Structures are given as structure tokens and as C-alpha cells.
Amino acid sequence: MMIIAILLNFIFTPKKITPKIVEILNENINGSVEIESVELTFFSSFPRFGLKVKEGSIFPNSLFNSKDTLANFSEARVSFNVYKYLKNDNIDIYEITLKEPNINIQVDSLGNYNFDILKTSAINEEDTDTVSSFNINNINLRKFNIEKAHVLYQDGISKVNYEAEGFNTTIKARKNNNELYLNINSTNELVSLYKVPEKRFKIRNIGVNSEVTFNKVDTLLTISKSDLSINDIHFATSGTIKPEPEKKQVIVNLAATLQSNTLKNFIDLIPSTILNKKSIETQGGVNLTVNTNGIYGNGKYPKIGSVLTINKGALKYKEFPGTIDNLDVELQGDFFMDNSQPSNVEVKTLNIQGTGLQLNANGIGNNILHPNAVFSMALNTNIDFTKLYQNFPIDKEITSQGNILADLKTSFKLKELKAQDYNNVNVEGKVVVKDLNISAPTKGAFIKSKNLTAIFNKNEDDVHPLSGSLQLKKTEMEIKEALEFSSEKLNALVNFEKKPKNETVLNVNASINDLSYKSKKDTTFLLVRKAKIDLGLTPKKDRSLSAISSNFSIDSVAVGQGKYWVGIQQGNYSFILNQNPNKKWNVNGNVGFNNLYASFSESHLPIQMPATKLSLNNDNVTLNNAVVNYGESNATITGAVKNLEGFKNGKTVSANLKLSSTNINANELMAMFSGSNNVETEKEEKIVTNDSVYSQKQAFKIPKNLQFSFITDIDKIEFAGLHLEDVHGGLELMNGHLQLKKLQLKTLAANVEGNIDYEAKSNQQANLDFNLNLRQVKMNEIQNLMPVLDTLFPIAKSFVGKADFSIKASSQLDKHLNFNLKTFKGIAALKAKNIMVLDGPAFRDLAQTFMFKNKKEVTPIESLDLEMEFEGDKLIIYPALLEIDRYKLAVGGEQYLDLSYKYHISVLKSPVPFKTGVDISGKDFDDYDIDLTTAKYKYYFTDKERLLKKADSTIIKKKEFIRSELNLLEN
């Protein structure tokens, strides 16, 4: 013992033996192994020597297409016979235990598997030559344990994945010369089958206890005795499995039979969530067999055949009066998963008779795994939900009452049904539902119906081979977080009509009273008061596309999604819908109505359209003198709007329209499109409310996908701070801009021409560029047309008379469309003749200083030419010539946003034979100072070139630039 302890602790330490063992393992497999540490044990595995392996990983052959880890484990223990190895180079392993391993088994689409890692020399008894000095003549394993494993098997052939949680297995082995005997005991907490992880089929508590014999000569694996258990339901399994590695396939012949033939055991297979199995009494026999025969691998699958029969079954609950007096079932199926032969299912008998339940059914499905599957079935049933609820242990959270009667026969080809080809679809019979009320309050779901009757007729008429009718009265349905539906009354007549070229048209004539639908997922809703519908559906045939022709007559309807809705009164519709290759429906037809109301924002202002007719062509709409009212705005529109779907998907929506109106409140429209109905206003501003209509200015970001062009004839427009009348010209929405082009308008104050460009980067700020020419405008009303000039050009209010005024400027607007004066930049010019200047304190003192003869309240000015520039917080007035009384004056200066000013007047001609100047400054026109100074502008207005050169050339050039840029006033 002392020697062993010394060997273990000083000679065969983990640090020394781990690299050696990893080297030996990697020499004897086609994959690779990584191990953190290997510890040689004796005392913990007494009386045998053993190995304790920590944190090991096994990787597949480098030739396998996936390099994912084959297996990893936190700990493995191996106990073995050292004596046999030292004597004969034989490895006799008593036991291997893997703890909490992750095992990842993969088979690719060609049948190659990642666990093919053993070299032939490692298990060939005659081959004793290896790369290292570690020779192995024979390996014998007696017991193999796996504890709490996670196993993932990915089958690249079937594309089905198998995943096991809590996998435990013990394999005991013994052998003779030609045979290996295995005893396998395995349990699984959970097994999942899936193609995509989100859709799993789960089976819990699977166990296997098998005795297996492997013949080394013919490589045949024989299962002589096996017990397969699923939730304590046991199946006896037997058969053979023959691997053919060279062909990458396995020949399977297995049979599984339900060990107990009682109905009680079969019912135990049904989950408790579907059937309450507490205190249940049963009688009757069950026979269930599943046979698997054939080849698995290389794209081949074995045939799976199953038979289920229940004879003279019955069941009842001890504490409830209801009984199932008779249960007879006979069904069988043969499945060829590789479609090498047709897969068929037949329900020969399905007969259930009991309290509140009578059901007889049979049916056949031929070639069910192929698109050409054919089905035929018959059903006769009478279900009394009231009796079922009263006599059976139905979940008390569910209440049910009512009755369903059904007597149906049908046959069809699945391919034709999917292609909407109803020529060979046969349905006949009747379904009647009365006083149905099924409710699950805790799950937020219920369905109620006073009456539902559906009748299907198979006719001898070759033109109308199939017809039917549907009646629905007082029906309601709700599914939590999904939908709500109700209908007071719905009647429909349906028939299939054969057309030339072997087409079948589905015709529907329906009437609806008080129908409502609401989706809780996408907030879509539909409300119909009264409607009549004639509909014809031409299904897809070969390469042709589906089409629907329809005529609607609706008393009133509302449809919407979220904050968007449309309501129509007295509507008539005629549509033809054609399905395009992208499976979307193109609409062609006409819509007429007496009144339409719609909202496309959270604003309380609805759009209203009186009697109008619209034409629809695919995703385009044509309007002919369509009247639209919104708040204070109204318009009559003629033209076309193309690609309406762009409002949803962001693609370009274009329009060419003629628009006439008596009034357009652009501020109001912008508030609607911005979705704002809670804009702050000044205290003195009043919000006029009339039937939830609000009028207020609001910046609006124009979607860049709108490409609208209007020819306008508008009596009045309110836009930002501008009040415009008798407006003609072009209006465009392009690339996020709103543009008024070649604008012409008339007002009592002036005639206006020009262009306006509006753009908003967000609903909080916008930019405005404009170029306006005001012809013969009343000077004291300029600020009424452009309120911003009340601050920037206040001296205009001091003049009486008419002038020509031109301005070209840009400015930022705040979210209420008010000018941000600090960003106001531009140029302007004014030309006037025979105007008057009003008498005021400053002018009175100035007149006294110059000794004007005219002492009236107004003083005439023969002419006035001004060039101006708006820059930041000030207005610059460049030197201008002014003729007043006996004087010729040059006037210029600066006006500031706070209404303060600095002006200079140079006297160029006067009764006094010398030139002088006057500086005027002040905080406003009532608070000022007048100072005599030199004449600063005496060289600007002279015909003498010698004197003109003394003037500031930059000012002269600026004045010329302004006149040129504004194309100004030479007449």
C-alpha cells in the first residue's frame, strides 16, 4: 500500500500521466481528445485501479464537414484490471462512468456520421502495432454508465432533430467468441423532435430496458426482449437491426406492441390536459401494433405500419353520471416517408355513443404524404354540450351549452383544393348549431351563437355541381389577445358554376346585419350595419391567377387600423380583384357613396366627403370632381393618385390633380398630418371647437415618398403667417418639400406673384424659402400680408400710399410655424411715388430741423426707392434717394429686432447752399435723438463720375445686386 501511495502521489501524478494518456487516445482514434487532467486512482476505486478524468472533450474526424464537439463531460471515471494489461496487453475495463456529458451526434445528408472515430487497429485483435509503445491486443468493457446527459442527434437525411434532456443509461456487456450480449437500461426526462426549434413535439418520461445480442460475423443486432415505456405505458419490442457501414445504411425489422390490452392503459397515453383521468372506470380491449421494416440511410426510410383497434369500449367516472356506453375504433396506416410507395390511412370505424354524444365517422386518405393526396370521409354526429357539461368532469373554468348536429360526406384531392379548383370537390350534408355558448373566462375566450345552419348540396346539374347556404344569427366570439367578432344576422347562398375551359367560379350572395370585427393584434377593425354582397371567385388554374368579381351595397360601414379609419354611408361598390404573381390582390372598379368620413392621424378632425364616386385601378384611384372637407378647409379634386400602397410601405405615391377651393387652412392640414391635437398656443389665441375640430398652426414633416402635383384655383389660403387670397398656380409635394410655384393672388391690399418652398426636418422645426413680388401694395398694410415685417420693417407703417415691394428670404420656423427672426435672412426692395409720410414726434422734429414748408399731418414724398437686406437681428436699409418738400435727401440706416434704430439722412439739395447730415437714433419712434453731422451719402446720388468714385463701391454694388436678384421695378 505504501508503494502504491508513493507511485500515485510522486510518480504517476496527473501532471505526468495526462499528456501521455491524451497522446495514446489521439493515436488510436480518427478524431481528437482534449483533457484537463487525468488522475490514477486506487483507494477511491479499491480494489481496482482506475482513472479520474476531468473536463474532457472529444472532437470528430477532421474530414467530417462539421467541427462541432462530439462530446464533452465534466468528469469521467474508469476502473480496469492492471494485471491483465501488464501480462497480455489486454485492457479489461470494469466500468466507465460519464457525468453530465453533452453529446452531439450528427449525420450529414450523405449518411456520414461524426462518431466514426475509432481506428480499425484499435479494435483488431491481430494488429498490435501502434505508433506509441503502448500496445493493445484486446479491449473488454463490462459496464458503461451515462448520468444526466444532454444528447442532441441531428439527422441530415430526414432534417429531423432529436434532443434528450436528463438522459441516463447503463449498458452491461459480456461476450463469447462471436457474440456480444448487451443489457441496456435507459431513462429520459424529456425527448423533443423538431425541424425548427420553435416547433417541437415533446415526449416525457421515456424508458428502455432491452436485451440485445450483437453477432460479430454477420453484424446483426437482435433485440430479443425489450420494454419501451412512455409515461408508464409499456410496449413490448423485438426485432433485428443490421448496420451496413460500407453502404452507410441500416436494415431495420422491428415490431412494437402495447403490452397491456386494456382501454385503461390506452387512455393513460392521452395527456391529462385533454382528458381528465381521475376516478375513471373502463372496459374493453385495445390492440395497438407498430411495425418498422426496411432500410434507413442514403435517403431511404423504412416502412412504418400501424394498426389500432378498440372493441366494445366503455368508460365512466365514479363521481359523475355521464357514460360512454360504446367505443369502437378500427384504423390502420402504412407510411413510406421517402415516398417510394403511396402512404395510406384508413379509419374503418369510429363509433362513440354516450351521454350527450353520438358520433359515427369513417374515411380514407390515399397517398397522404404526396401533393396528389386524395381524401374521402363521412361524419354523422350529435353533440349536446349542455349534457356533456352537466355529466362529465369538464374543467370548471369552462362553461358550455348548446347543440351541434352534423351529417356530412366529402371527397377531394388536396392538390386541387390548394389550387382552388373545385370541379371535383364533393360535399353534401348539413350542419346545425343551436344556442351554442362555450366560455372560458379565465382564458378570455368564448363563442356564442343563437343559430348556425350550413347546408351543402351535390347537384345533378352539370353547370352548378355544388351549392350551399349559410345562416348565422346572433353570433359572438372572442379570443384573448387575438380578436373579437359579432354578427346579428348573416345569410349567404353559395354555388359553384362551371365555366368554359374547365374553370369553376364560386358565387356568393350574402346579406349582413350589424357585423363587427376587431383584431387585438394589429388593431384592425370592421363595422357593418347592413350590407348586400354579390361575389364571384375564379380560382387559380394552371398558370392563370385567381380573380374575384364583387358588387356591394352597404348602408353604413367603418374600417380602420389603429388611429386610421374610414366610415361610409350609403355605399355602392363594384370591384374586380385579380391576384398578381406576388399573391397580392389588384383591385379594379368603382366606389360610390353619399358620405365618407376618414381620419389618418390622432387629430380629432375627420376628413369628410359628400356624395362622390371613385374609380380604382390596381393600386391607383381616380377622382372626378370629388369634394373633400376638413375643418375649415374644402377642396374639389379631379385627377389620379398612383400607388396608394406607398402610404404603408414607404414607396413613392404620386398624383397629378386639379384642385379648386374656397378656403384652405394649410396650418390646420399640417397639424393633421403631424398627428398633433395638443399644440400650445398663446394665451390670447382661441381654439375653436366644433364637433371636435381644432384649428391651429403646427409644423409637419412631409414624407419624401409623396410626389404630388396640383394645379390650384383657391379663393383663400392661410399658410404659416401668410394670409393669401384668390390663389392660382402650381402646388407640389416633392422630396419632402411643399412648393407653391408661379403663385398668383389678389388681395384688397395688393397683387402678389412669387414662389414658396417649405421643408421640415421634423415636426419641431421647418425651413421656409420664399420670393414674393407685391404690386401696388398699400404700404401701411405690408405687415398684414407678411406679419413678420411688422418687427423687421416697422417704418412701413409710417407711410400712406402704394408701392411695389419685392422680397426674397429664408427663415427657420418653430413647431408652431412662427418665424425664428434670428435666422431670417434675405433681401428686399421698395419703389414708391407720390406717397405721404404720417406726422409723428420724430418726423415733426425732423421737419422743424429742416424747416419744411408743409405743416400738415401728412407730408408728400415724390419718390422713394429702397434696397434692404435682412441679416441676423437687424434690417439694413442701404442709402436711398428721397424727395420731400424742397429737399432732396439720401436716407439709410439699420433697424433692430428690439425696435431700436440708427438712421442717417444726408441733405443733397436744400434752400441752404451747403450739404449737411442728420443722425437719428432711438429705442422706438417715440424715444429718439437727432444730431447734426456731416453728409455721409453725398456722393451716392450724383451724375459726376469724379464724385461718384468717392462713394463706397461695396454699397453701390450691393444695391445693384439686390435690384438684379429681384428683377426689380425698372418700370
Side-chain angles (χ1 to χ4, degrees):
M1 290 293 183
M2 182 64 71
I3 294 173
I4 292 174
I6 292 172
L7 290 174
L8 295 178
N9 289 282
F10 296 99
I11 305 300
F12 299 110
T13 63
K15 186 175 182 180
K16 294 180 179 180
I17 67 173
T18 297
K20 187 64 178 177
I21 289 177
V22 171
E23 179 185 0
I24 293 169
L25 291 173
N26 286 328
E27 287 175 354
N28 287 275
I29 65 172
N30 288 320
S32 62
V33 174
E34 294 179 0
I35 295 173
E36 182 181 284
S37 70
V38 180
E39 178 184 350
L40 185 63
T41 65
F42 178 73
F43 298 103
S44 61
S45 56
F46 185 81
R48 304 180 181 90
F49 280 94
L51 295 175
K52 182 179 179 181
V53 183
K54 291 185 178 181
E55 301 299 336
S57 298
I58 304 172
F59 299 92
N61 192 322
S62 60
L63 299 178
F64 191 73
N65 54 21
S66 174
K67 302 301 183 284
D68 292 344
T69 305
L70 173 60
N72 60 57
F73 52 86
S74 59
E75 181 178 306
R77 289 181 176 270
V78 182
S79 60
F80 56 92
N81 190 323
V82 176
Y83 174 75
K84 287 187 177 182
Y85 173 72
L86 295 175
K87 183 178 180 181
N88 301 315
D89 288 340
N90 293 330
I91 296 181
D92 187 10
I93 301 174
Y94 291 104
E95 185 174 358
I96 296 176
T97 299
L98 297 179
K99 294 186 176 182
E100 299 181 358
N102 287 304
I103 302 171
N104 180 22
I105 301 172
Q106 297 181 26
V107 178
D108 64 20
S109 59
L110 300 177
N112 302 306
Y113 39 85
N114 67 342
F115 55 88
D116 183 18
I117 61 173
L118 290 179
K119 291 181 179 179
T120 305
S121 60
I123 58 173
N124 190 337
E125 296 181 7
E126 296 181 0
D127 188 356
T128 59
D129 295 332
T130 59
V131 177
S132 72
S133 60
F134 188 80
N135 297 322
I136 302 174
N137 287 331
N138 188 29
I139 298 177
N140 182 39
L141 173 62
R142 302 187 185 187
K143 186 177 181 181
F144 182 67
N145 300 313
I146 296 177
E147 299 177 359
K148 299 181 179 180
H150 173 269
V151 181
L152 177 62
Y153 173 55
Q154 298 172 288
D155 190 340
I157 299 175
S158 66
K159 307 300 181 183
V160 176
N161 302 316
Y162 305 83
E163 188 170 4
E165 301 283 353
F167 175 76
N168 299 280
T169 191
T170 297
I171 302 174
K172 296 181 180 179
R174 60 184 178 84
K175 68 177 182 177
N176 58 25
N177 291 333
N178 294 321
E179 292 183 325
L180 177 65
Y181 302 96
L182 302 174
N183 186 291
I184 302 172
N185 194 320
S186 178
T187 61
N188 297 271
E189 293 178 4
L190 175 66
V191 174
S192 301
L193 288 74
Y194 61 91
K195 285 192 173 182
V196 292
E198 294 78 15
K199 298 180 180 180
R200 295 173 178 252
F201 177 73
K202 298 180 180 180
I203 307 173
R204 298 186 181 276
N205 301 322
I206 298 177
V208 176
N209 193 340
S210 299
E211 293 182 3
V212 179
T213 302
F214 178 70
N215 190 302
K216 297 180 182 179
V217 177
D218 56 13
T219 66
L220 185 66
L221 190 69
T222 302
I223 302 172
S224 57
K225 182 181 179 182
S226 178
D227 176 69
L228 171 65
S229 64
I230 303 174
N231 287 323
D232 295 327
I233 308 303
H234 296 266
F235 293 83
T237 307
S238 61
T240 61
I241 300 174
K242 182 177 176 59
E244 295 184 337
E246 69 284 356
K247 296 182 180 180
K248 298 179 180 179
Q249 65 185 28
V250 177
I251 301 174
V252 180
N253 288 285
L254 296 174
T257 305
L258 189 65
Q259 287 192 9
S260 176
N261 292 328
T262 67
L263 181 60
K264 175 68 167 62
N265 284 85
F266 180 75
I267 287 177
D268 285 342
L269 290 172
I270 303 173
S272 298
T273 54
I274 297 176
L275 179 67
N276 187 335
K277 294 178 282 186
K278 186 178 180 180
S279 302
I280 192 171
E281 296 177 350
T282 65
Q283 65 182 44
V286 178
N287 179 36
L288 174 62
T289 61
V290 179
N291 295 307
T292 306
N293 307 99
I295 296 173
Y296 176 75
N298 286 327
K300 299 178 180 179
Y301 293 87
K303 170 189 174 183
I304 300 174
S306 62
V307 176
L308 170 65
T309 58
I310 301 176
N311 295 315
K312 297 179 181 181
L315 64 88
K316 69 182 298 294
Y317 292 88
K318 293 180 180 180
E319 300 176 0
F320 292 87
T323 61
I324 300 297
D325 302 311
N326 187 69
L327 176 61
D328 289 321
V329 178
E330 184 178 359
L331 63 86
Q332 66 180 45
D334 295 316
F335 304 93
F336 296 87
M337 306 305 292
D338 55 3
N339 279 322
S340 58
Q341 296 184 48
S343 298
N344 304 317
V345 173
E346 181 177 5
V347 180
K348 294 183 177 180
T349 303
L350 177 56
N351 186 310
I352 305 174
Q353 304 290 328
T355 305
L357 177 63
Q358 296 180 29
L359 186 147
N360 282 288
N362 60 74
I364 297 175
N366 293 320
N367 207 10
I368 62 173
L369 300 181
H370 194 272
N372 290 324
V374 179
F375 295 90
S376 63
M377 59 192 72
L379 171 68
N380 185 289
T381 187
N382 184 347
I383 302 174
D384 190 327
F385 288 101
T386 305
K387 287 185 177 181
L388 288 175
Y389 182 75
Q390 292 172 348
N391 293 281
F392 287 96
I394 296 175
D395 190 341
K396 294 305 177 184
E397 293 184 354
I398 299 175
T399 60
S400 66
Q401 58 183 325
N403 183 262
I404 294 180
L405 292 169
D407 186 5
L408 293 172
K409 292 181 180 179
T410 182
S411 63
F412 57 89
K413 294 180 180 180
L414 184 62
K415 183 178 181 179
E416 293 177 347
L417 200 64
K418 288 183 176 180
Q420 301 173 357
D421 182 357
Y422 305 110
N423 267 325
N424 299 310
V425 175
N426 295 318
V427 183
E428 54 183 320
K430 185 176 185 179
V431 178
V432 178
V433 179
K434 291 184 177 181
D435 300 319
L436 182 67
N437 187 347
I438 299 175
S439 177
T442 58
K443 297 181 181 179
F446 72 85
I447 180 171
K448 298 178 183 179
S449 182
K450 183 68 176 175
N451 179 269
L452 184 153
T453 301
I455 300 174
F456 305 92
N457 300 308
K458 178 64 178 176
N459 304 320
E460 299 298 330
D461 184 358
D462 290 337
V463 179
H464 300 92
L466 188 65
S467 62
S469 63
L470 174 66
Q471 293 182 343
L472 199 64
K473 291 182 180 180
K474 296 185 181 301
T475 300
E476 297 179 57
M477 181 172 64
E478 180 176 348
I479 300 175
K480 185 179 181 180
E481 298 179 356
L483 62 86
E484 294 178 4
F485 171 85
S486 69
S487 176
E488 181 66 22
K489 185 178 179 181
L490 186 152
N491 292 320
L493 296 176
V494 181
N495 70 72
F496 293 91
E497 180 182 2
K498 284 192 175 181
K499 295 282 189 179
K501 298 182 181 180
N502 205 30
E503 290 183 345
T504 302
V505 176
L506 171 63
N507 296 313
V508 179
N509 304 101
S511 63
I512 300 172
N513 283 38
D514 295 328
L515 181 145
S516 71
Y517 167 83
K518 180 180 179 181
S519 171
K520 296 183 179 180
K521 292 183 177 179
D522 60 6
T523 67
T524 300
F525 66 88
L526 170 68
L527 301 171
V528 179
R529 182 172 177 79
K530 288 183 180 180
K532 290 183 179 180
I533 303 170
D534 292 327
L535 182 146
L537 169 62
T538 303
K540 181 178 180 181
K541 185 73 174 178
D542 298 327
R543 294 186 178 181
S544 65
L545 300 172
S546 302
I548 296 176
S549 61
S550 59
N551 291 285
F552 295 77
S553 175
I554 295 179
D555 178 71
S556 58
V557 62
V559 62
Q561 182 177 23
K563 61 185 180 180
Y564 307 107
W565 58 267
V566 177
I568 293 176
Q569 293 178 334
Q570 300 298 322
N572 291 281
Y573 315 87
S574 178
F575 290 138
I576 295 178
L577 294 87
N578 294 286
Q579 192 177 38
N580 62 30
N582 297 324
K583 295 185 178 181
K584 293 184 178 180
W585 292 93
N586 296 326
V587 182
N588 293 274
N590 299 296
V591 179
F593 47 81
N594 285 353
N595 266 305
L596 178 146
Y597 296 88
S599 176
F600 300 104
S601 73
E602 295 176 349
S603 170
H604 295 287
L605 286 166
I607 294 173
Q608 188 265 335
M609 296 179 68
T612 303
K613 187 174 183 179
L614 310 177
S615 297
L616 300 175
N617 182 8
N618 295 335
D619 207 20
N620 309 322
V621 60
T622 301
L623 304 96
N624 186 10
N625 291 320
V627 177
V628 180
N629 299 314
Y630 177 79
E632 296 179 357
S633 302
N634 63 79
T636 300
I637 303 174
T638 297
V641 182
K642 298 182 179 180
N643 191 30
L644 292 173
E645 192 176 0
F647 285 111
K648 293 180 62 178
N649 61 24
K651 293 184 178 179
T652 299
V653 184
S654 61
N656 285 288
L657 303 168
K658 291 182 179 179
L659 184 151
S660 61
S661 171
T662 59
N663 184 67
I664 295 290
N665 187 329
N667 305 320
E668 194 175 61
L669 295 175
M670 289 180 177
M672 177 190 72
F673 285 115
S674 68
S676 172
N677 62 353
N678 187 28
V679 182
E680 290 184 7
T681 58
E682 298 178 1
K683 291 182 179 180
E684 65 270 18
E685 182 180 358
K686 294 182 180 180
I687 301 176
V688 180
T689 304
N690 183 11
D691 295 331
S692 299
V693 175
Y694 301 142
S695 178
Q696 49 199 333
K697 297 187 295 182
Q698 172 64 40
F700 164 55
K701 183 179 180 181
I702 298 171
K704 290 189 175 181
N705 65 318
L706 298 185
Q707 305 289 322
F708 279 33
S709 179
F710 296 87
I711 297 175
T712 61
D713 180 7
I714 304 170
D715 292 345
K716 183 179 179 182
I717 290 181
E718 183 178 346
F719 178 72
L722 304 178
H723 302 276
L724 314 175
E725 296 180 359
D726 198 9
V727 179
H728 302 274
L731 187 154
E732 292 185 353
L733 300 179
M734 295 285 177
N735 302 316
H737 290 252
L738 185 155
Q739 297 174 330
L740 295 173
K741 293 185 174 182
K742 296 183 179 179
L743 176 68
Q744 294 182 349
L745 61 94
K746 296 179 180 179
T747 70
L748 294 175
N751 298 329
V752 182
E753 297 177 351
N755 300 287
I756 298 176
D757 188 330
Y758 167 92
E759 180 191 22
K761 301 296 185 182
S762 70
N763 289 349
Q764 301 297 313
Q765 180 180 307
N767 295 322
L768 186 69
D769 293 297
F770 58 93
N771 182 359
L772 297 177
N773 298 317
L774 283 66
R775 303 301 188 192
Q776 292 302 294
V777 62
K778 293 180 180 179
M779 293 188 64
N780 58 354
E781 292 191 15
I782 289 178
Q783 72 278 4
N784 293 331
L785 285 172
M786 300 184 64
V788 65
L789 296 181
D790 189 34
T791 302
L792 294 175
F793 189 37
I795 61 171
K797 293 184 290 185
S798 300
F799 296 95
V800 176
K802 292 184 177 183
D804 289 342
F805 179 76
S806 295
I807 182 170
K808 184 176 183 179
S810 65
S811 177
Q812 290 182 3
L813 307 178
D814 65 17
K815 64 180 181 179
H816 301 311
L817 297 179
N818 297 316
F819 284 90
N820 181 348
L821 296 181
K822 291 184 178 180
T823 66
F824 195 98
K825 292 184 178 181
I827 56 176
L830 181 145
K831 185 172 184 178
K833 292 183 178 180
N834 301 318
I835 60 175
M836 302 289 182
V837 60
L838 294 173
D839 188 22
F843 182 77
R844 195 178 302 119
D845 287 352
L846 188 62
Q848 185 176 356
T849 302
F850 289 125
M851 295 180 291
F852 291 161
K853 283 185 176 181
N854 195 334
K855 304 298 183 180
K856 299 179 181 180
E857 292 185 357
V858 293
T859 301
I861 297 177
E862 293 181 12
S863 64
L864 175 63
D865 292 323
L866 293 179
E867 292 86 22
M868 295 166 277
E869 182 175 7
F870 303 95
E871 185 180 280
D873 61 347
K874 63 183 177 181
L875 166 65
I876 302 172
I877 299 178
Y878 291 103
L881 186 64
L882 177 69
E883 295 183 14
I884 183 171
D885 199 74
R886 296 169 294 166
Y887 292 81
K888 182 181 288 187
L889 309 175
V891 181
E894 296 178 355
Q895 177 76 49
Y896 299 93
L897 293 181
D898 60 1
L899 298 182
S900 62
Y901 54 87
K902 292 180 181 179
Y903 288 104
H904 173 78
I905 301 174
S906 291
V907 179
L908 305 181
K909 180 181 178 182
S910 71
V912 181
F914 59 86
K915 296 181 180 180
T916 186
V918 176
D919 288 337
I920 305 174
S921 62
K923 295 181 178 179
D924 54 46
F925 290 105
D926 294 325
D927 182 4
Y928 57 89
D929 292 312
I930 297 178
D931 297 312
L932 291 175
T933 183
T934 58
K936 299 178 182 178
Y937 303 146
K938 60 184 177 180
Y939 300 122
Y940 287 89
F941 303 96
T942 178
D943 295 331
K944 297 179 181 180
E945 186 175 346
R946 175 179 59 82
L947 297 177
L948 189 62
K949 289 182 179 180
K950 295 182 179 181
D952 189 338
S953 62
T954 58
I955 292 178
I956 294 174
K957 289 179 181 180
K958 192 69 174 181
K959 287 165 59 68
E960 292 175 349
F961 168 78
I962 292 173
R963 288 195 298 270
S964 173
E965 188 72 11
L966 297 176
N967 191 23
L968 190 68
L969 307 173
E970 296 297 336
N971 297 329

